[in-house]
Amino acid sequence: MSLKKKRRVQIILVAVVALALATGLIGYAMQDGINFFRSPTQVTETPPAAQETFRIGGLVEEGSLKVVGDAAVTFLVTDGNASVPVTYKGALPDLFKEGEGMIGSGNLIGGTFQATEILAKHDEEYMPVEVIDALKAQGVYQEGRKTPSEPLETVTNGAGNDS
Amino acid sequence: MIPELGQFALTLALITAVVQGVLPIWGASLNNALWMRSATSTASLQFVLIAIAFGALMRSFVVSDFTVLNVVENSNSLKPMLFKVAGTWGSHEGSLLLWTLILALFGAAVAVLGRNIPTGLKARTLSVQAWISIGFLSFMLFTSNPFDRVFPAPLDGNDLNPLLQDVGLAMHPPLLYIGYVGFSIVFSFAVAALIEGRVDPAWARWVRPWTLAAWVALTGGIALGSWWAYYELGWGGWWFWDPVENVSFMPWLLGTALLHSAIVTEKRGAFKSWTILLAILTFSLSLLGTFIVRSGLLTSVHAFAVDPERGIYILGLLTVSIGGSLTLYAARVHKMEPGGLFAPISREGGLLLNNLLLTLATATVLFGTLYPLFLEGLTGDKISVGPPFFNTSFIPIMLPLVLIMGIGPFLSWKRADLAGIISRLKWVILIAGISALVVWYIQTKGPALAVIAMAIAVWLLLATLREWSSRIRLGQVELTESLDRLRRVPRAAHGMTMAHAGLAVCMFGFVGSSAWKSEEVLFVQPGKLVQIAGFDVTFEGVEQVQGPNYTASVGKLSVMRNGRPVTILRPERRSYPVAQSQTTEAAIRSTPAGDLYASITEPVNQEIEGQWTLRILYEPLVGFVWFGSLMLVFGGLLSLSDRRLRVGAPKRKARSASLPIAAE
């Protein structure tokens, strides 16, 4: 085997070893780095184990938002069929309101979802797609909940697509 | 009238691009010099036409022309002028126009500045560049026209998303796009070289300044975006491993690999096919990023199906450009002559390892970004891949890279003496070890990995400085001679030192602010005292302030330390009536040791009326993230200024001959 060929084989070997290591790392990282999304109904039907971090999403039930202690809040997240109590200590995001969509990530401990992070929808128009799907699954979601306020919207839709 | 002019210019630009895409490359195969040279004029003309279109759109924003749909949706007459201008690229259509403008700018720059590039290579490169242009111009004209009109015109506009009304973010897209799109010209060079079937060290030398320019802009763009997230989102984080961030980070990682492999191609004629592949892949990732962000795929795979027109167009574009170039690569790669031999321990070996690790790191980020999309598409399961995934997979790949970065610049080409280098670095190793102990002594609470990472950062910084001082023989010869050497060392070498040291500085910030952060979140009433990281913070209350297009609630926090007043923090909560949304303006007290960071949110419901949610963070060393990023950018610019002299693209100063060849 010529030196050139030998060198090439060495490089390929190193690359293969590195690739195997990276695959192993990815596999290992996937154990706790990947969070499933579940709707309140799914959580109620098959409650995940306490050590599993997952995301839950739905609407914040009207009248359920309460303050406990120094900075923690509790509220119910619902998809119209089932509700799950959520506790969260931290600043609530912009546009977090009763009756609006939210997504939280955390763990289900003793039937209560202890959120470590809460996301609300980004702006007035946008609701997280996961939440929309969860609501649709329960038949509670109404298309176009936000009514177009101005005739502008109709023009927008007309001109935006065909030109 | 002006918007129609813009649209007309855009149409003309498309026609020009078609001419530029056909004539020069055809001329190159027929060896017709006139046709080949036509690329220079068409590339310049195309740029001018797109610049006219861009100017027309910007004018519509500046004068608040609400007959233009894009202006209505993204501007408002009350908006400050800077953000009216920035609104030009604040929307989907406008940002595409900016994309195309930069694409044409790079084409025109190569046409005008690249005088010493062989005519054939230049003609083919500009033709390939024109085809990318055709893809984006037609995409814009057919699916995302920025000049669509509205009738009847509304009285006022919807306003730009208030989160985006910020100086940092106004500058973020142009920089990021120069980075993204800058890699297009490298891609075009690579495809042109494949068509010619020839890559030589000279090719690498022509390509490197463009790679470097794109890399500098991308680095700046990413840093600016991260800075914006830090002070504007109110969470005190600077990197969230969000898919939008990842898609800009991946081209950066591969672009960094490309920058280093091009050195080997240039200096030793090796890694040719690998450099070509990296050039193709880097731009492919830029395109992928554009596709992912622009198609609505990120919100959900289903969002893509809802408005498929744009998504499918970009997907087609992506398939043709990536698939086509990779097919061409597969067909032509065997023609590349292999480069010179090298021992495993050598500069080539070090750079090979650099490329291997950077590519693997890119692969893990790519996996984490795309896996949720694939899974949802295949099984319908919705998952999110969070920071724990990236921290576990990405950091273990990057730490060894930083370790070898310390040694790399000491390695000589072909064969290096590792034992000799280690013995020269024994003091550095010792100090890095001691610093680990010191860090561990001061911060016993943080994770062990943070202590190791800190020591590795110290190692990189000192090893880099050690290499720099031995280059100018500091301390070995008289100071005047060292200063003389300092002047004669090529700027690219100084640039490398600056960039490598910059990464070490960044690491101090990365580690300090993520491992030893303190955070307090609580409901407060006026008079409430919060203690954090040795500071006594008192919440004094909130007052209302009227801004140009918003109203703000400004909180007042007096900060004391050991009984002495330190500062007064005024975090704001802004409410934008037109856009019907709110933003957080964090108040930050920055010192080299760390940032004291405060943000407030109004009460969420009646029950806690009068109580504000206060979030206070102390982030040690976070300022080093931005300072280190600046060093990276400045290092790149230093190196770039050297390149310009050497490539002699515009021969302003003819000093290049006397300079020794850079050995970075």
Side-chain angles (χ1 to χ4, degrees):
Chain A
M1 197 160 27
S2 76
L3 193 59
K4 230 166 215 181
K5 214 166 233 169
K6 193 174 148 203
R7 201 62 85 224
R8 190 169 288 176
V9 171
Q10 282 172 340
I11 291 177
I12 291 171
L13 273 179
V14 171
V16 166
V17 169
L19 203 62
L21 279 177
T23 315
L25 269 176
I26 288 179
Y28 179 67
M30 275 173 75
Q31 289 181 339
D32 53 7
I34 281 182
N35 309 326
F36 277 86
F37 176 88
R38 292 190 170 86
S39 68
T41 303
Q42 287 168 321
V43 172
T44 320
E45 278 166 6
T46 43
Q51 63 267 23
E52 192 205 322
T53 303
F54 65 97
R55 297 195 301 157
I56 195 168
L59 301 179
V60 182
E61 206 165 290
E62 297 279 354
S64 71
L65 185 64
K66 298 211 166 48
V67 176
V68 272
D70 232 2
V73 290
T74 71
F75 57 89
L76 292 171
V77 57
T78 179
D79 57 5
N81 176 39
S83 298
V84 174
V86 178
T87 65
Y88 175 65
K89 183 172 159 50
L92 290 164
D94 303 356
L95 296 165
F96 181 92
K97 280 192 200 90
E98 291 184 344
E100 300 285 349
M102 65 70 71
I103 285 185
S105 78
N107 301 58
L108 189 74
I109 298 165
T112 301
F113 187 77
Q114 300 196 348
T116 50
E117 191 186 10
I118 298 269
L119 310 165
K121 51 182 196 159
H122 280 165
D123 58 52
E124 288 294 314
E125 311 290 331
Y126 167 66
M127 178 177 281
V129 190
E130 289 95 331
V131 175
I132 293 178
D133 288 349
L135 295 179
K136 273 186 182 159
Q138 301 303 327
V140 224
Y141 183 73
Q142 298 131 25
E143 293 285 349
R145 238 164 43 97
K146 292 281 165 199
T147 45
S149 45
E150 300 294 316
L152 171 69
E153 292 284 309
T154 26
V155 179
T156 306
N157 295 338
N161 293 331
D162 48 55
S163 50
Chain B
M1 181 60 203
I2 300 273
E4 277 70 30
L5 200 69
Q7 170 132 25
F8 185 57
L10 222 48
T11 318
L12 282 183
L14 178 61
I15 296 166
T16 315
V18 172
V19 177
Q20 187 192 331
V22 175
L23 212 53
I25 203 166
W26 199 356
S29 65
L30 299 177
N31 211 7
N32 181 329
L34 192 67
W35 286 12
M36 284 195 270
R37 271 199 217 109
S38 74
T40 309
S41 358
T42 42
S44 314
L45 179 65
Q46 195 201 333
F47 171 67
V48 170
L49 286 168
I50 297 177
I52 290 172
F54 189 77
L57 186 64
M58 189 180 272
R59 182 208 165 261
S60 302
F61 270 91
V62 168
V63 302
S64 293
D65 181 354
F66 292 123
T67 60
V68 177
L69 177 68
N70 197 2
V71 180
V72 176
E73 286 180 337
N74 299 290
S75 195
N76 182 274
S77 51
L78 291 177
K79 201 161 66 163
M81 183 49 77
L82 173 70
F83 301 125
K84 281 185 184 170
V85 174
T88 314
W89 55 79
S91 64
H92 164 81
E93 292 82 3
S95 64
L96 266 177
L97 187 54
L98 180 67
W99 218 100
T100 323
L101 177 73
I102 297 170
L103 195 66
L105 172 69
F106 271 96
V110 167
V112 175
L113 300 176
R115 288 200 197 103
N116 53 357
I117 301 172
T119 328
L121 179 68
K122 190 171 161 184
R124 288 185 171 111
T125 304
L126 288 175
S127 275
V128 176
Q129 185 80 356
W131 280 105
I132 307 172
S133 231
I134 292 168
F136 277 88
L137 281 171
S138 54
F139 174 60
M140 206 155 41
L141 285 170
F142 296 135
T143 75
S144 326
N145 190 344
F147 297 107
D148 278 346
R149 294 279 201 166
V150 186
F151 183 80
L155 286 176
D156 214 331
N158 293 358
D159 211 349
L160 180 69
N161 184 347
L163 276 177
L164 309 181
Q165 294 189 24
D166 179 89
V167 185
L169 205 66
M171 291 314 299
H172 167 66
L175 266 183
L176 203 61
Y177 279 16
I178 292 175
Y180 264 15
V181 184
F183 287 120
S184 69
I185 199 76
V186 184
F187 170 87
S188 300
F189 265 113
V191 172
L194 283 176
I195 295 173
E196 290 194 337
R198 201 165 60 91
V199 175
D200 48 18
W203 178 88
R205 201 155 58 237
W206 290 312
V207 165
R208 226 170 92 76
W210 302 105
T211 317
L212 202 51
W215 182 87
V216 165
L218 192 57
T219 310
I222 292 174
L224 210 56
S226 148
W227 185 50
W228 168 81
Y230 174 68
Y231 70 73
E232 178 72 29
L233 293 182
W235 301 331
W238 39 263
W239 194 261
F240 301 96
W241 291 109
D242 189 88
V244 185
E245 293 170 327
N246 292 348
V247 295
S248 67
F249 191 42
M250 290 187 286
W252 186 87
L253 286 170
L254 268 202
T256 311
L258 174 62
L259 216 49
H260 290 86
S261 84
I263 297 173
V264 185
T265 309
E266 183 185 337
K267 295 290 183 332
R268 300 279 306 144
F271 293 10
K272 282 179 195 164
S273 47
W274 175 240
T275 305
I276 293 273
L277 185 63
L278 273 182
I280 292 174
L281 290 180
T282 305
F283 183 60
S284 300
L285 284 178
S286 301
L287 279 179
L288 187 76
T290 310
F291 167 66
I292 289 182
V293 174
R294 288 286 153 228
S295 63
L297 201 59
L298 273 185
T299 28
S300 161
V301 194
H302 306 306
F304 175 65
V306 171
D307 180 19
E309 198 182 340
R310 288 175 178 174
I312 285 177
Y313 201 106
I314 310 187
L315 188 61
L317 208 70
L318 212 63
T319 317
V320 171
S321 56
I322 301 179
S325 54
L326 287 180
T327 311
L328 185 65
Y329 177 79
R332 291 298 178 95
V333 69
H334 61 273
K335 285 198 173 179
M336 310 274 165
E337 298 149 28
L341 269 175
F342 58 90
I345 304 287
S346 62
R347 180 165 292 191
E348 289 96 324
L351 288 170
L352 181 74
L353 211 53
N354 151 308
N355 271 241
L356 198 64
L357 291 171
L358 280 171
T359 313
L360 285 178
T362 314
T364 59
V365 178
L366 186 68
F367 179 86
T369 311
L370 293 187
Y371 182 67
L373 297 177
F374 280 123
L375 194 71
E376 195 188 341
L378 289 176
T379 67
D381 280 340
K382 297 187 183 70
I383 59 160
S384 66
V385 174
F389 171 85
F390 294 101
N391 290 342
T392 318
S393 61
F394 180 78
I395 294 173
I397 297 176
M398 289 312 265
L399 284 184
L401 178 68
V402 180
L403 263 184
I404 63 160
M405 249 174 101
I407 298 175
F410 286 96
L411 295 167
S412 44
W413 294 109
K414 283 163 104 172
R415 183 181 296 277
D417 167 26
L418 191 60
I421 294 168
I422 302 261
S423 83
R424 282 168 77 188
L425 286 171
K426 56 182 182 288
W427 286 107
V428 172
I429 296 170
L430 189 69
I431 297 174
I434 293 172
S435 66
L437 291 176
V438 171
V439 171
W440 185 54
Y441 180 74
I442 301 173
Q443 289 285 359
T444 42
K445 275 186 229 155
L449 188 66
V451 176
I452 297 168
M454 218 56 177
I456 290 178
V458 171
W459 146 261
L460 174 60
L461 182 65
L462 294 180
T464 304
L465 289 178
R466 175 78 180 78
E467 193 271 340
W468 182 75
S469 69
S470 71
R471 201 183 275 268
I472 60 168
R473 306 190 66 184
L474 194 69
Q476 292 168 333
V477 292
E478 300 244 338
L479 191 62
T480 45
E481 199 194 320
S482 278
L483 286 177
D484 190 42
R485 281 174 178 272
L486 184 69
R487 268 194 302 277
R488 279 186 293 126
V489 167
R491 283 200 204 161
H494 288 310
M496 179 209 68
T497 304
M498 177 70 84
H500 283 195
L503 188 76
V505 170
C506 276
M507 276 182 73
F508 293 138
F510 296 159
V511 179
S513 64
S514 47
W516 304 307
K517 180 191 322 207
S518 344
E519 181 171 7
E520 288 288 343
V521 183
L522 63 175
F523 297 127
V524 289
Q525 278 176 318
K528 173 83 181 177
L529 177 77
V530 186
Q531 288 180 315
I532 186 166
F535 293 96
D536 299 314
V537 183
T538 314
F539 179 65
E540 310 267 11
V542 173
E543 57 180 313
Q544 300 299 317
V545 175
Q546 182 68 40
N549 55 346
Y550 61 86
T551 56
S553 309
V554 183
K556 188 179 170 193
L557 302 165
S558 51
V559 182
M560 312 264 279
R561 186 171 208 167
N562 302 327
R564 250 174 276 145
V566 177
T567 184
I568 289 177
L569 292 175
R570 296 179 190 278
E572 280 182 41
R573 211 29 212 172
R574 288 185 186 165
S575 185
Y576 292 77
V578 180
Q580 291 189 9
S581 67
Q582 287 139 323
T583 64
T584 304
E585 304 289 317
I588 305 169
R589 176 188 180 258
S590 297
T591 62
D595 282 12
L596 188 64
Y597 183 110
S599 61
I600 55 165
T601 323
E602 61 263 83
V604 279
N605 69 357
Q606 301 299 320
E607 192 189 341
I608 43 173
E609 193 69 64
Q611 299 229 28
W612 288 74
T613 309
L614 176 65
R615 187 188 188 105
I616 304 184
L617 296 110
Y618 185 72
E619 302 206 35
L621 307 178
V622 70
F624 284 88
V625 174
W626 326 123
F627 188 69
S629 308
L630 268 180
M631 287 173 71
L632 282 172
V633 168
F634 188 64
L637 287 175
L638 256 182
S639 184
L640 194 61
S641 67
D642 179 340
R643 291 284 144 177
R644 208 186 310 150
L645 292 177
R646 275 196 46 221
V647 172
K651 280 189 175 151
R652 286 200 201 108
K653 297 174 191 165
R655 282 199 348 216
S656 51
S658 64
L659 280 171
I661 286 172
E664 68 286 26

